[in-house]
Structure formats: structure tokens, C-alpha cells
Amino acid sequence: MLELTMASVSGADADAGATAGMLMAEAPSEPGAVLRVGRDRSVCRLVTPDDWLFVSRTHLEFRCGPDGAWNVSWLRGSNADPASEVRLVVSGGTALPLSYGGAAPLSRGGSGEVVIQDRWGPRSVNIGYYHEG
């Protein structure tokens, strides 16, 4: 099972650590299971505000592989240069950048966070995850 919790942080709230809009989603660890994050309500389980253009229509994809392990991918959008940065924060607070179009595994039995940061403003989307072992 993969559980995701998404919080949107904007403006002065970002400095105070306050969040606006908490959403949750989960999926069983079955091969082929997918959870998407972005602005497109028709394909994404976790949806950001429509006017947050630093987030693509389908920005992140969490996918369960054949062995029941999950990974996260930053899907390439229509722009050659993204309007955001994405990093994976794992247990212990280590932050690893996720490249545009790249993917990273999520550790089994672990938790962490994926952060989508607006490159031009104090807005971010924080997606906490817990992957049962």
C-alpha cells in the first residue's frame, strides 16, 4: 500500500510553515497501480490549484512495479524548461533532486516527501508518502 498526503503552501504561509488544502490518496501495492499528481482532474488523484502553472497538467506519477515496489517519475511537460524544481526528501532529511523526466525508487517500509517548488515564487506542493513494507 502506498499512502500520499498533499499540502499546498503559498506566499507568507510558506515562511510560517502553514498549509492550505490537504488531500489524501492511497493505492494497493499491486503491479501497474498508478497515482498521479498535477492540475488535470480527469487523470490526477491529487490535484493542485488550476492557476498554479508551475505544476504541469500531469506532473508526477507514482507507479507500482512488477515486484510491488513503488517509484516516482517527474513527467516531461510541453515546455523544454520546467517552471519548477522537484526533490525527493527521504528518511533522515536527505534531499535528492529529481531530474526533469527522471524517476526514483521509493523505499519499502519507508516514508518521505516529494516537493514541487515554484522556481519564481514562494509556492510549493509537498507530497508526503508512506510505503508499507
Side-chain angles (χ1 to χ4, degrees), residues 60-100:
L60 297 177
E61 180 177 85
F62 293 82
R63 180 175 292 275
C64 186
D67 60 352
W70 286 84
N71 68 29
V72 59
S73 300
W74 181 5
L75 304 175
R76 292 188 69 88
S78 58
N79 296 324
D81 189 28
S84 62
E85 296 174 355
V86 176
R87 65 185 179 278
L88 178 64
V89 182
V90 294
S91 299
T94 303
L96 308 168
L98 188 59
S99 62
Y100 188 43

Side-chain angles (χ1 to χ4, degrees), residues 21-64:
M22 291 285 273
L23 300 171
M24 298 180 74
E26 64 182 30
S29 292
E30 297 173 354
V34 175
L35 289 169
R36 292 183 184 95
V37 177
R39 294 188 340 260
D40 188 341
R41 287 173 174 21
S42 67
V43 295
C44 297
R45 292 270 304 273
L46 295 175
V47 181
T48 62
D50 290 335
D51 62 342
W52 283 32
L53 300 180
F54 71 97
V55 177
S56 300
R57 290 171 43 86
T58 307
H59 201 91
L60 297 177
E61 180 177 85
F62 293 82
R63 180 175 292 275
C64 186

Side-chain angles (χ1 to χ4, degrees), residues 4-31:
L4 301 177
T5 304
M6 184 181 83
S8 303
V9 182
S10 177
D13 293 340
D15 295 331
T19 59
M22 291 285 273
L23 300 171
M24 298 180 74
E26 64 182 30
S29 292
E30 297 173 354

